[in-house]
Amino acid sequence: MTSEQMEAARAERMRQNGHGAISLEDARTWIEETGLCLFLPKRQYSGSLAPSFVEAVAGQQNSTPDPKQIALAEELLVRLEKDGVAVRLNLLGHPGEQPDYVVAAWVLPYVYALRGDRDWRRTPQLTASRQVSPLAIQAYKRLEQGDATIAELTRFLGREVSESAVLRAITELWQQLRIIPVISAPGHAAQWQLLRFRYQKAIAEGASTSQVTAISVLASIYLQAVIAATMEEVEIFLSPLTARSKIR
């Protein structure tokens, strides 16, 4: 395969060839085949070696997609989430409701095997390797009673707690795959929900999956998307999930 043929094959596989996944069915097929992708293209990923949901919807490689392209991708993602096809992830810890990665529901157990708590029934802890802040623990206990928005959580946690502090606490829980934002429609405030309420089977499966198996599956998924990659490129793409030394 020549370099030109390689680039053409990648562009087709990642929907960066002018034929975007602009219908719900196209987006569903693409995310289920791709398995795991960025939501927005990131600067640390060179060229076309990281599939992104926004670029797949737009049908073109673009490191700075315009607001209309992002809005269309968000609309399709919300609909895929309602159908239980895709899950938005926050692996890098930036506060907000916009994901940095998107995972197909069938791939979620392998992601959970690397980022989730093996004892998924346990309340988050103040100590140990997966520790969270006291505020995050209080927010989690409130969410055990039912879904809530950031505003509702702020009122529950007390007047002395700012909304930005609550958002940081929520981000801690989202990073550890404890919770997810449930968005009824683009532009609407997210209802935060315990991940196990919706994906308990996937969590239980992930908790019993070895990290070696999970890394192998996710590396295979990535290589299927980009067709060929260096070891470093694989490590960079999967590094938000686990240490690069483990991937290597």
Side-chain angles (χ1 to χ4, degrees):
M1 182 179 286
T2 65
S3 59
E4 290 80 8
Q5 289 172 326
M6 176 75 77
E7 290 305 313
R10 283 175 175 160
E12 181 177 358
R13 182 67 186 84
M14 292 191 283
R15 287 295 184 99
Q16 297 174 0
N17 60 351
H19 303 287
I22 58 175
S23 74
L24 181 62
E25 192 56 40
D26 284 342
R28 177 195 297 268
T29 299
W30 187 82
I31 192 61
E32 288 188 331
E33 290 179 349
T34 303
L36 179 68
C37 65
L38 300 169
F39 179 70
L40 283 167
K42 303 290 184 184
R43 290 181 180 178
Q44 65 264 44
Y45 298 100
S46 60
S48 61
L49 289 184
S52 82
F53 191 74
V54 170
E55 289 176 307
V57 170
Q60 62 184 27
Q61 183 182 341
N62 185 353
S63 60
T64 56
D66 64 48
K68 288 184 178 180
Q69 293 172 331
I70 297 172
L72 177 57
E74 172 67 19
E75 179 184 346
L76 289 170
L77 179 56
V78 167
R79 295 171 69 185
L80 291 173
E81 289 173 314
K82 285 183 178 180
D83 292 344
V85 173
V87 182
R88 64 180 67 210
L89 303 176
N90 185 334
L91 302 179
L92 302 176
H94 301 302
E97 297 171 2
Q98 189 179 86
D100 45 43
Y101 278 71
V102 179
V103 63
W106 71 269
V107 180
L108 182 59
Y110 303 108
V111 173
Y112 190 87
L114 299 176
R115 287 298 295 262
D117 192 335
R118 297 277 167 173
D119 187 2
W120 54 269
R121 296 180 180 85
R122 178 179 60 179
T123 300
Q125 305 295 301
L126 287 170
T127 58
S129 60
R130 299 185 184 279
Q131 67 184 41
V132 297
S133 66
L135 190 61
I137 292 176
Q138 293 303 312
Y140 183 88
K141 290 179 177 178
R142 165 59 184 84
L143 293 175
E144 286 184 308
Q145 302 169 22
D147 302 356
T149 64
I150 293 294
E152 290 168 342
L153 286 167
T154 303
R155 288 194 294 272
F156 173 81
L157 293 169
R159 294 181 179 179
E160 69 279 4
V161 178
S162 68
E163 193 166 293
S164 60
V166 175
L167 184 56
R168 288 194 298 272
I170 284 296
T171 301
E172 290 181 61
L173 297 171
W174 192 13
Q175 274 190 281
Q176 292 192 18
L177 299 184
R178 290 283 191 170
I179 63 174
I180 51 170
V182 178
I183 301 173
S184 59
H188 289 211
Q191 289 278 339
W192 293 89
Q193 179 184 85
L194 298 191
L195 183 65
R196 61 182 170 86
F197 284 175
R198 185 170 298 201
Y199 291 104
Q200 182 171 319
K201 184 178 179 180
I203 288 175
E205 182 181 342
S208 62
T209 299
S210 74
Q211 291 198 349
V212 172
T213 297
I215 293 170
S216 297
V217 170
L218 292 170
S220 176
I221 286 172
Y222 171 69
L223 290 172
Q224 182 176 323
V226 300
I227 301 176
T230 65
M231 174 67 78
E232 183 179 11
E233 287 162 343
V234 177
E235 290 175 15
I236 290 172
F237 183 74
L238 297 180
S239 60
L241 290 166
T242 190
R244 292 180 62 167
S245 59
K246 291 184 180 180
I247 299 168
R248 195 175 308 119

